[in-house]
């Protein structure tokens, strides 16, 4: 096991992700090594809970050791240097259950808007008279909306479980910028506080029911600085303002499992999309393309993110996915997910929108 960690840290060093220089001494006993890693971890992430509390220390140290085991297992599947690499992150001292409850939505699958309709929304709807090959051949090899200056900076949702609002707001901002050429931050807090239709602020919600509510109620979305983020659910303060936008009624929410070419087409010809995902194994994600260990079944969906592009010329063709866990996560806040097999459930619920 020690050998595998050494490999992980070696790779880390090589790709420049390792800014904490842990000297791995192979002559040490594994328990001491683990404890040293844990102490480095506590320092690096300013975890203060352990200073005076032995119970807390023991609990988190055990979780941390469990994470080391999981990291080892996840890294077993790496086939190339481009494959996802897992290692120690700021979340590595949490148990899977704690991570799920603090950063994800354990019961999101119950609320998935499309779950009931997914038999209807089937792949036949697309590819009408178009072979898969022809469709893909017509698309650019590479799309990245970040290059067009229509993507705002990566946000950090902290422990507010409003991924559904973060991913939707990011898409609103992008579509507004594509339409007007102006990049504005819109209020996520307004969505957190006010969205009805089954949504419950930092306790959870769903992108599609949010869009439905925005359109049905003709909601004005205000700028971020007029209704700033506080990371908790407050009383709704809907207000008019000079700079407001509305969502066009023709938004879409599609089940595109088996039709990921359609996602590529949306990304190439329309703009970024918001998607529901399973992010459980992102707890220890450092970078690279996720190709394995990310179950896409609807029962595993627990998070929502935005896809801002794709790269089909890469050795492992992948989506470029923007998360809402700050710029520290993955590649400056982004991660890569392989195209084509509903990895992490990316095709389960895909939302597009236009702004008025
Ligand atoms: C840890 O705390 C120090 C001093 O308070 C601060 O400079 C540093 O940015 C913090 N690091 C993290 C990862 O929060
Ligand atoms: C230490 O942490 C445990 C578990 O979170 C808590 O119940 C206990 O009150 C803490 N003890 C002190 C001295 O803070
Ligand atoms: C991975 O990267 C390392 C260091 O850059 C290189 O030595 C090795 O050959 C690469 N392996 C593959 C499979 O590309
Ligand atoms: C949706 O409606 C808006 C406003 O009428 C329009 O600009 C846009 O092109 C439409 N989008 C699609 C995908 O049809
Ligand atoms: C696509 O990925 C490949 C391999 O990672 C990389 O070399 C290339 O620069 C990427 N394309 C673009 C346009 O970023």
């Amino acid at each position: 096991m020690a050998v595998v960690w050494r490999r992980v840290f070696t790779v880390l060093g090589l790709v420049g992700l390792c800014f904490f220089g842990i000297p791995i001494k192979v002559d040490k006993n594994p328990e001491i090594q683990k404890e040293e890693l844990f102490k480095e971890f506590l320092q690096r992430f300013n975890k203060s809970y352990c200073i005076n509390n032995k119970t807390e220390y023991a609990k988190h140290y055990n979780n941390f050791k469990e994470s080391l085991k999981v990291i080892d297992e996840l890294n077993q599947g790496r086939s190339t240097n481009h494959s996802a690499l897992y290692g120690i992150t700021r979340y590595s001292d949490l148990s899977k259950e704690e991570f799920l409850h603090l950063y994800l939505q354990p019961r999101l699958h119950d609320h998935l808007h499309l779950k009931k309709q997914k038999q209807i929304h089937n792949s036949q709807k697309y590819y009408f008279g178009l072979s898969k090959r022809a469709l893909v051949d017509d698309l650019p090899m590479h799309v990245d909306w970040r290059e067009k200056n229509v993507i705002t900076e990566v946000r950090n949702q902290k422990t507010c479980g409003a991924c559904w609002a973060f991913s939707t707001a990011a898409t609103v901002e992008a579509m507004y910028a594509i339409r007007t050429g102006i990049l504005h931050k819109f209020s996520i807090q307004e969505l957190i506080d006010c969205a009805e239709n089954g949504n419950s602020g930092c306790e959870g919600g769903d992108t599609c029911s949010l869009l439905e509510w925005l359109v049905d109620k003709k909601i004005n979305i205000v700028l971020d600085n007029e209704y700033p983020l506080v990371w908790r659910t407050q009383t709704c303060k809907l207000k008019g303002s000079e700079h407001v936008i509305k969502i066009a009624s023709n938004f879409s929410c599609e089940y595109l499992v088996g039709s990921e070419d359609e996602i590529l087409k949306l990304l190439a010809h329309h703009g970024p999309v918001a998607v529901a995902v399973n992010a459980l194994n992102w707890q220890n994600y450092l970078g690279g393309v996720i190709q394995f260990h990310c179950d896409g079944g609807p029962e595993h969906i627990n998070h929502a993110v935005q896809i801002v592009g794709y790269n089909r010329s890469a050795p492992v063709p992948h989506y470029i996915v923007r998360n809402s866990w700050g710029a520290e996560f993955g590649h400056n806040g982004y991660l890569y997910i392989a195209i084509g097999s509903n990895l992490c459930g990316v095709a389960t619920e895909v939302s597009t929108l236009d702004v008025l």
Side-chain angles (χ1 to χ4, degrees), residues 11-209:
V11 175
L12 273 177
L14 286 170
V15 297
L17 286 168
C18 182
F19 21 75
F20 53 105
I22 296 170
I24 303 286
K25 300 181 182 76
V26 278
D27 53 333
K28 281 222 175 114
N29 103 29
E31 192 61 32
I32 294 173
Q33 265 189 47
K34 286 181 207 171
E35 188 136 17
E36 279 182 1
L37 283 176
F38 187 55
K39 286 181 172 152
E40 291 278 354
F41 164 86
L42 295 176
Q43 229 172 27
R44 181 175 165 208
F45 295 109
N46 286 344
K47 304 266 179 175
S48 53
Y49 53 72
C50 292
I51 296 172
N52 296 315
N53 194 323
K54 285 205 163 67
T55 322
E56 284 284 297
Y57 185 98
K59 191 182 102 190
H60 289 91
Y61 181 43
N62 275 331
N63 293 340
F64 183 81
K65 285 193 283 188
E66 188 56 34
S67 285
L68 290 178
K69 224 188 296 175
V70 169
I71 288 165
D72 255 0
E73 284 159 16
L74 292 175
N75 283 332
Q76 298 293 329
R78 300 191 85 228
S79 50
T80 74
N81 280 354
H82 306 280
S83 303
L85 180 68
Y86 298 88
I88 295 162
T89 69
R90 70 162 53 252
Y91 312 114
S92 297
D93 61 339
L94 300 174
S95 69
K96 280 239 173 287
E97 292 68 32
E98 286 168 338
F99 182 67
L100 187 63
H101 284 90
L102 282 173
Y103 294 101
L104 302 172
Q105 284 182 242
R107 289 183 314 280
L108 179 56
H109 59 273
D110 294 337
H111 301 290
L112 276 190
H113 193 80
L114 290 178
K115 221 168 109 189
K116 293 171 226 112
Q117 306 164 30
K118 72 169 184 266
Q119 310 308 340
I120 312 163
H121 286 263
N122 222 334
S123 41
Q124 288 105 327
K125 190 173 161 195
Y126 304 96
Y127 304 143
F128 231 80
L130 261 184
S131 82
K132 204 168 169 166
R133 183 98 233 135
L135 180 59
V136 169
D137 284 349
D138 279 349
L139 292 172
M141 290 304 284
H142 169 260
V143 170
D144 187 347
W145 286 99
R146 292 175 299 183
E147 293 167 357
K148 305 200 166 68
N149 195 30
V150 298
I151 303 295
T152 48
E153 75 205 29
V154 167
R155 308 284 220 307
N156 193 340
Q157 68 177 76
K158 304 189 182 171
T159 52
C160 167
C163 56
W164 54 280
F166 281 82
S167 57
T168 305
T171 307
V172 167
E173 289 160 351
M175 297 316 295
Y176 179 82
I178 290 171
R179 194 181 145 149
T180 64
I182 304 165
L183 191 58
H184 272 320
K185 278 166 77 178
F186 286 98
S187 174
I188 297 173
Q189 193 63 43
E190 177 186 355
L191 308 179
I192 291 173
D193 292 348
C194 304
E196 296 161 358
N197 207 15
N199 296 301
S200 40
C202 289
E203 302 309 308
D206 170 70
T207 299
C208 292
S209 51

